[in-house]
Amino acid sequence: MIQPKEFFDNLISEGILFFSGVPDSLLKNFCAYVTDHVDDRHHVIAANEGGAVALAAGYYLATGNYALVYMQNSGLGNATNPLLSLADPEVYSIPMLLMIGWRGEPGIHDEPQHVKQGRVTLGLLEAMEIPYLVLDGNTRDWRGLVRSLCDQMRDHERPVAIVVRTDTFDDYKMGTIDDDSSLLTREEAISIVVERIGDNDIVVSTTGKTSRELFEVRERYSQGHGRDFLTVGSMGHSSQIALGIALQKPNYRVICLDGDGAVLMHAGALAIVGQKAPPNFVHIVINNESHDSVGGQPTASPNVDYVDFAQAMGYRNALRAATSKEIESALAQLLDSEGPSLLEIKTRKGSRQDLGRPTITPLENRNELMRRLLW
Ligand SMILES: Cc1ncc(C[n+]2csc(CCOP(=O)(O)OP(=O)(O)O)c2C)c(N)n1
């Protein structure tokens, strides 16, 4: 395996001096190393992968130096537009090095949302005409390969990519980030929400551990999964899935169980909720100030007031809660009011070691929910 420090030092020697991206579990050791060792002006954890490409472009315009843009392969979709219409050699020709975590690599078991994405990852890069190399923990002479890829980046002033297979980087543990251990865990917060909402309420939950925990909480309460839509991929889009349901099903209350990283990824979505203003829409943002599901890298949430933000976007009500009592009383108030409403729940980072994964397939989940909604 490759030591994150060695890889990082090698990038610096290639003249890569700026880092931006959205964290990925497969790259988590490398991302953690960057988080710990690069100052704030040279490392930006972006709202989404397209933003990271744009930041790398801005850095190049301002300095003539090169940036690394890191992402999970599921972020390629977000990055495609600025890669093709900004950085591409046929447009502004902005050199940058992409580092893409290869979830769902063919032949390696992974979750359903990663399988197709994994199968088409290299093909997508080929279709975009982005030169790439595939890296793993046994790649001999990775320095030489990175050197010739960076030569292509520099000589042709274009994006190039390193596709990183699973188990490429050795462990690196991120230095501790302040965390208030008196706060509830995300799973405790989800349990309280599930106990308080109505039997007929529809829940659309965001990607990552939120959906996994919701699934387990429903199992624990023997409630089945027929009123939940577990958004296993599509980070940042849960609120619009929920909005799509809420607008068509005014007799159901629709609750979006979101994460702060996901909200920030496509924050414009909240303006659309505010504009359409469905009274049956409740947005619960679990704010642990991190991308907890993929390694706990910080988000920009410490700078964001979600209550003010929701109000500015046109939500009718917005509250904040942290303790069980506060969550219970905020929910009692919001579930009794006309929406759209937002509840920010502050939680700490982390999850159970033995947290499982949904045992139903995405298609079974879809069918069960649709049976309920179309009945
Ligand atoms: C487009 C895209 N980029 C990156 C990821 C990888 N990813 C999965 S969960 C997650 C973090 C989500 O953070 P947040 O919404 O704050 O929820 P938390 O994990 O903290 O509960 C990331 C970055 C992804 N699934 N999709």
Side-chain angles (χ1 to χ4, degrees):
M1 279 201 251
I2 302 172
Q3 297 293 333
K5 175 180 173 5
E6 274 181 50
F7 199 79
F8 175 82
D9 289 346
N10 187 66
L11 291 182
I12 298 284
S13 74
E14 291 293 343
I16 308 243
L17 304 175
F18 181 85
F19 299 80
S20 185
V22 176
D24 168 32
S25 49
L26 217 143
L27 302 176
K28 92 174 168 210
N29 295 322
F30 179 78
C31 293
Y33 188 87
V34 172
T35 301
D36 277 356
H37 291 88
V38 183
D39 67 80
D40 274 1
R41 212 156 60 87
H42 294 88
H43 180 211
V44 181
I45 299 178
N48 62 59
E49 293 80 356
V53 171
L55 276 152
Y59 175 73
Y60 178 73
L61 293 174
T63 64
N65 291 329
Y66 310 110
L68 177 86
V69 173
Y70 58 83
M71 68 182 82
Q72 182 175 101
N73 53 348
S74 52
L76 256 181
N78 284 334
T80 296
N81 171 252
L83 281 171
L84 294 180
S85 66
L86 170 71
D88 192 85
E90 291 177 35
V91 193
Y92 291 103
S93 201
I94 311 271
M96 64 184 70
L97 178 60
L98 312 177
M99 181 192 261
I100 303 168
W102 195 0
R103 295 293 305 263
E105 180 187 345
I108 297 184
H109 176 76
D110 210 332
E111 296 308 302
Q113 69 274 22
H114 295 299
V115 174
K116 178 112 175 214
Q117 183 80 50
R119 198 164 67 235
V120 302
T121 293
L122 302 185
L124 284 173
L125 290 172
E126 280 153 27
M128 289 195 271
E129 300 170 3
I130 294 179
Y132 63 84
L133 71 84
V134 176
L135 186 74
D136 65 37
N138 299 317
T139 308
R140 279 193 282 137
D141 190 28
W142 57 264
R143 286 185 183 78
L145 294 171
V146 171
R147 163 58 51 93
S148 57
L149 189 70
C150 287
D151 283 342
Q152 289 193 63
M153 169 187 82
R154 288 180 286 252
D155 295 347
H156 304 289
E157 300 191 308
R158 61 177 314 137
V160 297
I162 302 177
V163 178
V164 178
R165 302 177 71 189
T166 194
D167 292 334
T168 293
F169 290 112
D170 222 334
D171 282 349
Y172 175 84
K173 212 171 152 18
M174 196 159 54
T176 38
I177 293 177
D178 284 349
D179 197 15
D180 184 349
S181 56
S182 68
L183 291 172
L184 299 172
T185 62
R186 180 185 45 228
E187 187 171 357
E188 286 165 342
I190 292 173
S191 302
I192 297 169
V193 169
V194 166
E195 279 163 18
R196 299 282 140 175
I197 59 180
D199 282 351
N200 281 325
D201 293 351
I202 303 299
V203 180
V204 180
S205 55
T206 187
T207 187
K209 291 186 178 169
T210 297
S211 282
R212 291 166 60 183
E213 288 170 351
L214 174 64
F215 185 88
E216 297 219 341
V217 169
R218 293 291 201 194
E219 287 278 290
R220 210 175 305 135
Y221 293 161
S222 304
Q223 290 179 334
H225 307 284
R227 61 207 110 183
D228 300 335
F229 186 80
L230 309 166
T231 319
V232 290
S234 287
M235 180 170 165
H237 293 304
S238 294
S239 71
Q240 305 299 276
I241 300 170
L243 177 62
I245 298 172
L247 289 173
Q248 304 311 319
K249 292 285 167 187
N251 294 331
Y252 280 95
R253 184 158 47 213
V254 185
I255 295 170
C256 175
L257 209 49
D258 224 335
D260 59 298
V263 167
L264 293 174
M265 180 165 272
H266 294 299
L270 277 73
I272 309 305
V273 172
Q275 180 195 40
K276 294 296 166 192
N280 55 336
F281 186 97
V282 180
H283 201 162
I284 297 178
V285 180
I286 300 189
N287 182 7
N288 51 19
E289 301 186 345
S290 68
H291 291 278
D292 183 58
S293 300
V294 291
Q297 298 83 351
T299 61
S301 289
N303 285 341
V304 180
D305 185 322
Y306 286 98
V307 170
D308 283 355
F309 185 47
Q311 277 161 352
M313 290 290 167
Y315 283 56
R316 283 202 181 86
N317 321 288
L319 294 172
R320 177 176 298 118
T323 63
S324 347
K325 271 217 166 71
E326 286 167 1
I327 301 173
E328 283 162 13
S329 90
L331 276 176
Q333 197 179 324
L334 294 180
L335 297 180
D336 214 25
S337 322
E338 204 169 282
S341 303
L342 181 139
L343 172 62
E344 176 195 6
I345 303 181
K346 294 262 198 192
T347 69
R348 66 175 194 255
K349 303 178 215 327
S351 61
R352 265 188 298 127
Q353 285 299 318
D354 61 348
L355 178 64
R357 295 184 183 272
T359 51
I360 54 170
T361 66
L363 205 55
E364 285 164 349
N365 182 201
R366 181 202 85 160
N367 289 344
E368 214 183 325
L369 177 67
M370 285 186 75
R371 262 198 300 277
R372 179 175 296 254
L373 289 175
L374 301 186
W375 198 37

